[in-house]
Amino acid sequence: MKGYFKLPCLVLIVSGLISCNLFSNNQKELDKADHACIRVSAHGLPPLADNQTERFLGKVTEDVANCRGGQKAMDNRDSVWLDWSNYWGAGDASSKADGHKAITELGKHLKPNGRGVDGVLLDLEYQRMELIKFNLFDNSTYELYVKGENGKSGALIKQWDAMQLPETHADFQQVTSITGSQLCKGELIRHRTLTGICNDIYNPAMGSTNQLFARNIKFEDTFPDLGLNQLARNRHGDRLSLLKPDPQVISRKLFTRQQSKPSACNQGKGLLDDEKNSHCDYKKAPFFNVLAAYWIQFMTHDWFYHLREGNNSGTSMSVGCTSQKVNNKEQALTAEQVADLGCRPNDKVGKAFIAQSEPAPVFDHQNKKYQSRAHRTTENTVTAWWDGSQIYGFDELSIQRVKRDPNDTAKLLMRPRGHHTGAGEKFGYLPVFTSDDPINPAWEGQEAAAFGDAWTIGLSFYHNLFIREHNLFVDKFRTITADTPSADSGLRNPVKPKQIIRYDQVTDEELFQIARLVITAEMAKIHTIEWTTQLLYDEPMFLGMNANWNGLLEKDDPVSNILQKVVVNQLESSGDTKKANQIYSVFASGAGIFGLGSKRYADHPGILGYFPDETDIWDLSNPEHVNGGVNHFGSPFNFPEEFTTVYRLHPLLPDLLDFRELKNPNQISTKIPIISTFRAKATDAMTEGGLGNWALSMGRQRLGALTLQNHAQFFQNLDLSHIPGAPDQIDIAALDLIRDRERGVPRFNEFRRQYGLTQLTSFDDFMDKRIAQDSAEQEEQQRLVKLLREVYGQHRCDASKVITSAQLNADGSAINDCLGHPDGSMVDNVEDVDTVVGRSRYRGEKQRIP
């Protein structure tokens, strides 16, 4: 059947689609859901979409819902949210079904909980494959992706001229052959490079510092505020601009934390002397701690950055607080309304840097016009790789801020500080920036780090922690060297790949770079299998993220054996390279969703997998082996602008930190305002508190939930007095909205359509239909829906206006301005809701992806 994956019977079982006559003949033993599973299995796996408008959308048929989640899943299919959150075993313990016996050795996959979890993984895999197929838009290589090259589909291209080093680059000669082709080799592929070049040896510049951010959204649909697209004009009318709807009004009405004791909170500043009776209310997540909130700041500093040395462009602009809707009409704010809201009309901020402006170049292909890039582009001013660049540097300026220990240059410099006597104190703390360091003046007094912007007590904690870890690794390596100096260290140099390197031959610089690789791997593993699995707390997420490291299937699972012997061979013999490319995206993501690894065999060239009876011929001197199973699916690795939006997670932070000491861990001694632990104050806080006490304090305190009306008050009143010429304060919550608009992120509803998710048709769709009628939770959701309607308003719809090309209605007709409501009726301006607002919708304790 066209478009269907022809996979083995056992794969269908793993997918939660029971087939192959594995049920006993006693049909009376099967419940209603089991019968639904049998009916589903008769159809096999559904096809991948050929067109964007045919995407999966995360919604399944009634039989599939019944098979995977029973009545609960069927009852909630009419929701706009993904179906899988209602499957058995897809959430916490309360989502499990009990009392269903296994009937084969693969029984865990046949029982309700097993097929519920497996069904989630299948749903997510389909969405991932469709994301690869429909959401890769690189601002530097898109034309080649569309047109292809030398008869090869653009989706199969793995090397691009745009990802080659220019002649002006210091390493140009080292990577360029006499034919002009480029290949990274030798020392450039031995360790991480400063600017992130040569992670892909055929595309040296890919992911390096100052590359353009990519997009996950069709270029034509970016920057809806500019009104350059007829669909965007139909979708939003004249209701949008950079400051419309007003970002400060949205911040104050939809983001502000309500306080039961305003004076005890004092806009996040607390009481004098960090009095422990200070109190700021916030909605707490049911799990996870404040360390996790700071962890994501630590990670994003490694991944992406729009500013340049802490600065935006030199041109300033307003941040709003000028108008709001009153009875659905935009009106200027009065002085009294400004005071009531607590916003500030005089706030200003530097405009974002823009690399390229409109109009975007266009090209023709098969009688159709395309934009070759987004209307405007932005640069990522750090390396896009997971390479610890926030610690180790990302360009020639930042590396000057990285302090090496002059007594042992394999180590980073740490110094004793403070009065604490815990066992860890002997490892020291980061030194403080000096007048000789190349820094933004606002960073004066901070601890020295390659990435110095937006410094917090949490960043201080993680930088000190992982630099201690770096130095401990060096100490351990030196201990082994002292014990076995002539032993093989296991290290190899690509310049002389066959030469054994003894422990006593490893230089200080080599050891420093090896320690960096180890620390970076630790951080990546913590984020994938610890942080992410706790933030999105459910069994499928746990399995999926662990698959990045260990493969999805257990080592001795019979399904794994079938995959090795059947699926890998099918890929190898496939004559359809495009389809093989799609299937490969399932079986070889990262380390391999199914654990295919990176071994190479003479009889199976180009195919990853494990063949126990054959010899692995992987060779460091073979460039094809070094690049392993790299598959970019036609688009260079990069961070898309939309990715940065997802990581706007300011609600995670409370206003006050409950400080505890190890000597009396169950007592909160003081409540320290986070606002007093920024920039240089973080140095003082770390010195006074000590790393161990801060670990205890932040580890014991819950972080904030990702919901509306849960931004820290200090974020809305952030002091800028340290910046010459800046206003006294800035509203960071409002600034989040402005930056998304400046960088062309679509509003929430179109964002969902572009990603292959079901659209909303009114603000009422934000309601969770699973909660009890007339409950306090339902009342709270109704209040917030009413507030959304007040802030964003309504309009009289026009059914003649088509508003998107990303999706169609269920009957195949174009989606229009009325979103299924009668022509000319008053409809909610749900299309105007900012993505950060929509993502932070109130969903109770169950956090769902957008």
Side-chain angles (χ1 to χ4, degrees):
M1 189 178 299
K2 181 187 176 186
Y4 279 73
F5 289 117
K6 310 232 180 252
L7 302 182
C9 166
L10 288 177
V11 179
L12 298 182
I13 295 169
V14 173
S15 304
L17 304 177
I18 291 80
S19 59
C20 300
N21 300 317
L22 288 176
F23 279 125
S24 70
N25 291 325
N26 185 3
Q27 295 295 327
K28 293 181 180 179
E29 296 179 2
L30 305 178
D31 61 15
K32 183 180 178 182
D34 291 332
H35 285 287
C37 292
I38 295 173
R39 291 192 296 273
V40 169
S41 68
H43 299 287
L45 293 172
L48 278 180
D50 289 327
N51 301 296
Q52 184 183 28
T53 55
E54 300 169 351
R55 294 175 76 159
F56 168 47
L57 305 185
K59 309 299 291 184
V60 297
T61 66
E62 184 173 319
D63 273 343
V64 172
N66 194 358
C67 172
R68 298 174 182 175
Q71 193 62 46
K72 176 185 176 184
M74 289 195 295
D75 288 345
N76 288 284
R77 285 179 59 248
D78 62 343
S79 165
V80 299
W81 312 114
L82 296 170
D83 283 338
W84 67 252
S85 61
N86 297 303
Y87 297 168
W88 284 308
D92 57 21
S94 66
S95 68
K96 289 185 175 182
D98 298 319
H100 201 286
K101 293 183 179 180
I103 54 181
T104 73
E105 64 177 341
L106 296 172
K108 68 179 181 180
H109 296 294
L110 301 179
K111 291 192 291 186
N113 295 328
R115 63 189 191 234
V117 170
D118 293 339
V120 174
L121 294 172
L122 181 67
D123 284 1
L124 291 175
E125 190 55 57
Y126 265 88
Q127 289 184 296
R128 192 176 73 87
M129 287 188 289
E130 291 186 342
L131 284 168
I132 288 171
K133 188 173 182 179
F134 298 116
N135 290 86
L136 299 180
F137 301 95
D138 185 80
N139 280 301
S140 300
T141 66
Y142 184 63
E143 184 171 351
L144 197 60
Y145 179 84
V146 173
K147 291 181 175 180
E149 186 178 46
N150 300 325
K152 179 187 290 188
S153 166
L156 300 179
I157 292 174
K158 296 184 178 182
Q159 190 171 357
W160 303 269
D161 290 343
M163 296 296 111
Q164 307 299 293
L165 298 184
E167 291 186 16
T168 55
H169 195 282
D171 294 307
F172 176 80
Q173 295 295 335
Q174 188 172 347
V175 303
T176 307
S177 70
I178 58 174
T179 65
S181 62
Q182 294 192 356
L183 175 69
C184 296
K185 52 190 179 295
E187 292 293 334
L188 286 175
I189 66 170
R190 191 177 185 193
H191 306 298
R192 293 287 190 175
T193 57
L194 173 62
T195 60
I197 65 168
C198 290
N199 276 274
D200 183 310
I201 63 176
Y202 297 111
N203 296 285
M206 187 170 71
S208 61
T209 301
N210 295 327
Q211 289 292 308
L212 296 179
F213 280 100
R215 306 303 301 228
N216 279 159
I217 305 301
K218 288 190 298 184
F219 294 146
E220 291 82 359
D221 294 311
T222 59
F223 296 90
D225 300 15
L226 297 178
L228 299 175
N229 179 300
Q230 185 61 53
L231 293 175
R233 292 194 292 271
N234 289 348
R235 188 162 59 245
H236 302 292
D238 62 353
R239 301 186 300 272
L240 297 190
S241 72
L242 188 61
L243 298 178
K244 183 179 169 184
D246 194 294
Q248 280 202 64
V249 172
I250 292 173
S251 170
R252 299 296 163 162
K253 291 188 175 183
L254 293 176
F255 290 164
T256 300
R257 285 175 179 160
Q258 305 301 316
Q259 297 299 320
S260 60
K261 300 177 181 178
S263 60
C265 182
N266 189 23
Q267 293 188 337
K269 299 175 185 176
L271 301 174
L272 292 176
D273 301 322
D274 300 339
E275 168 62 47
K276 64 181 179 180
N277 290 325
S278 299
H279 179 81
C280 289
D281 294 306
Y282 68 102
K283 301 171 186 175
K284 299 178 181 179
F287 37 76
F288 231 5
N289 56 34
V290 171
L291 277 175
Y294 282 120
W295 172 264
I296 198 55
Q297 186 190 26
F298 182 56
M299 287 294 94
T300 57
H301 280 194
D302 184 21
W303 300 339
F304 53 77
Y305 192 49
H306 289 86
L307 280 65
R308 299 175 186 174
E309 291 295 291
N311 295 311
N312 281 292
S313 72
T315 306
S316 63
M317 64 178 179
S318 170
V319 191
C321 190
T322 59
S323 69
Q324 67 176 349
K325 287 190 181 298
V326 178
N327 297 324
N328 204 38
K329 294 186 182 299
E330 198 74 20
Q331 295 183 3
L333 290 172
T334 65
E336 183 179 3
Q337 289 169 331
V338 167
D340 185 54
L341 285 168
C343 62
R344 295 176 298 272
N346 294 326
D347 279 9
K348 293 186 182 299
V349 69
K351 291 183 178 180
F353 283 111
I354 299 297
Q356 300 163 306
S357 295
E358 68 277 7
V362 297
F363 64 91
D364 294 310
H365 180 63
Q366 297 181 348
N367 299 318
K368 185 177 178 180
K369 284 193 178 295
Y370 295 84
Q371 287 184 203
S372 62
R373 62 166 172 83
H375 299 293
R376 296 173 179 173
T377 63
T378 53
E379 287 183 353
N380 186 358
T381 54
V382 299
T383 69
W385 304 107
W386 225 327
D387 57 4
S389 62
Q390 75 276 52
I391 294 175
Y392 298 100
F394 46 87
D395 60 17
E396 293 296 338
L397 189 62
S398 64
I399 192 64
Q400 298 177 49
R401 299 192 283 264
V402 178
K403 309 289 188 181
R404 302 277 282 270
D405 189 336
N407 298 317
D408 184 350
T409 56
K411 292 184 175 182
L412 288 155
L413 181 61
M414 299 289 271
R415 289 174 172 161
R417 198 166 76 229
H419 59 278
H420 299 280
T421 57
E425 293 300 303
K426 63 184 178 183
F427 300 118
Y429 293 86
L430 282 165
V432 176
F433 281 134
T434 69
S435 57
D436 296 329
D437 291 313
I439 60 171
N440 183 316
W443 305 344
E444 185 178 352
Q446 291 180 189
E447 292 160 296
F451 192 116
D453 197 25
W455 194 253
T456 62
I457 186 63
L459 288 182
S460 172
F461 173 83
Y462 281 117
H463 277 262
N464 279 293
L465 179 70
F466 281 101
I467 289 175
R468 288 184 181 186
E469 183 77 352
H470 174 109
N471 291 347
L472 283 168
F473 174 85
V474 171
D475 287 339
K476 182 63 176 179
F477 193 95
R478 294 203 187 285
T479 298
I480 296 173
T481 300
D483 293 340
T484 57
S486 299
D488 183 357
S489 67
L491 303 173
R492 295 294 184 269
N493 189 336
V495 177
K496 300 177 179 179
K498 303 298 183 184
Q499 180 177 311
I500 291 174
I501 299 176
R502 303 193 312 264
Y503 276 102
D504 60 0
Q505 293 176 318
V506 177
T507 67
D508 286 353
E509 181 60 26
E510 289 172 326
L511 184 50
F512 177 86
Q513 297 297 343
I514 294 161
R516 176 179 181 175
L517 290 173
V518 171
I519 297 307
T520 299
E522 284 186 18
M523 291 190 296
K525 199 164 188 178
I526 288 169
H527 185 82
T528 50
I529 68 175
E530 299 292 342
W531 187 88
T532 303
T533 59
Q534 290 296 307
L535 184 73
L536 304 172
Y537 192 79
D538 55 61
E539 183 68 9
M541 182 58 64
F542 175 81
L543 292 172
M545 296 310 294
N546 274 269
N548 284 306
W549 296 90
N550 308 309
L552 183 60
L553 301 178
E554 298 172 12
K555 183 177 180 181
D556 297 324
D557 194 312
V559 179
S560 183
N561 297 329
I562 291 292
L563 284 168
Q564 295 295 339
K565 295 176 181 178
V566 180
V567 177
V568 174
N569 289 338
Q570 285 184 352
L571 284 175
E572 183 178 8
S573 61
S574 173
D576 187 338
T577 57
K578 192 169 184 178
K579 181 175 288 187
N581 188 59
Q582 292 175 344
I583 300 175
Y584 187 82
S585 75
V586 182
F587 295 109
S589 173
I593 289 297
F594 289 93
L596 299 184
S598 59
K599 297 180 183 298
R600 292 296 180 121
Y601 303 94
D603 294 336
H604 307 277
I607 296 296
L608 299 181
Y610 176 54
F611 300 88
D613 299 327
E614 301 186 34
T615 301
D616 180 14
I617 61 169
W618 194 95
D619 188 346
L620 180 58
S621 63
N622 187 327
E624 289 294 328
H625 292 183
V626 172
N627 246 43
V630 172
N631 191 333
H632 300 300
F633 308 105
S635 183
F637 167 79
N638 205 340
F639 280 119
E641 196 70 70
E642 289 73 25
F643 182 85
T644 66
T645 296
V646 174
Y647 279 96
R648 296 192 187 280
L649 302 176
H650 289 130
L652 297 182
L653 284 176
D655 282 278
L656 307 173
L657 295 173
D658 298 341
F659 189 76
R660 304 168 188 262
E661 297 181 85
L662 291 166
K663 63 184 180 183
N664 192 2
N666 293 322
Q667 178 178 319
I668 297 172
S669 57
T670 57
K671 291 194 176 181
I672 300 176
I674 285 183
I675 193 65
S676 68
T677 63
F678 279 178
R679 309 180 190 97
K681 294 178 181 178
T683 305
D684 299 332
M686 181 56 68
T687 303
E688 291 300 314
L691 194 70
N693 290 331
W694 277 115
L696 169 69
S697 301
M698 293 187 286
R700 288 279 297 271
Q701 185 174 356
R702 291 279 178 86
L703 53 64
L706 291 173
T707 70
L708 292 178
Q709 295 191 333
N710 204 32
H711 273 67
Q713 293 205 351
F714 74 81
F715 269 131
Q716 295 175 304
N717 306 284
L718 190 65
D719 178 28
L720 294 181
S721 59
H722 64 291
I723 301 178
D728 293 337
Q729 294 175 300
I730 193 70
D731 185 335
I732 295 297
L735 187 58
D736 278 349
L737 301 171
I738 291 173
R739 293 306 185 211
D740 273 0
R741 295 175 185 180
E742 277 188 295
R743 294 163 185 155
V745 176
R747 301 301 173 97
F748 182 65
N749 221 20
E750 183 64 14
F751 186 98
R752 288 178 58 83
R753 295 190 194 101
Q754 293 277 339
Y755 272 95
L757 296 168
T758 307
Q759 67 180 7
L760 284 69
T761 61
S762 76
F763 294 132
D764 292 326
D765 284 335
F766 282 114
M767 297 285 294
D768 190 342
K769 297 180 180 180
R770 300 172 301 180
I771 61 177
Q773 295 291 315
D774 301 322
S775 64
E777 187 178 8
Q778 186 188 60
E779 183 179 342
E780 170 67 357
Q781 291 193 16
Q782 289 172 337
R783 182 185 69 82
L784 290 170
V785 164
K786 182 179 179 181
L787 195 54
L788 281 167
R789 195 165 283 130
E790 173 188 319
V791 171
Y792 285 98
Q794 296 181 310
H795 72 281
R796 195 167 300 281
C797 73
D798 182 348
S800 69
K801 293 182 176 179
V802 176
I803 64 172
T804 184
S805 62
Q807 286 182 18
L808 297 173
N809 290 313
D811 62 2
S813 62
I815 295 171
N816 64 53
D817 183 44
C818 291
L819 294 173
H821 302 282
D823 187 19
S825 60
M826 292 296 292
V827 298
D828 290 336
N829 292 338
V830 67
E831 297 296 336
D832 301 348
V833 173
D834 292 88
T835 294
V836 173
V837 174
R839 184 208 61 196
S840 300
R841 67 197 181 279
Y842 183 81
R843 303 297 294 162
E845 290 189 346
K846 300 291 186 184
Q847 300 295 319
R848 300 187 185 185
I849 63 175

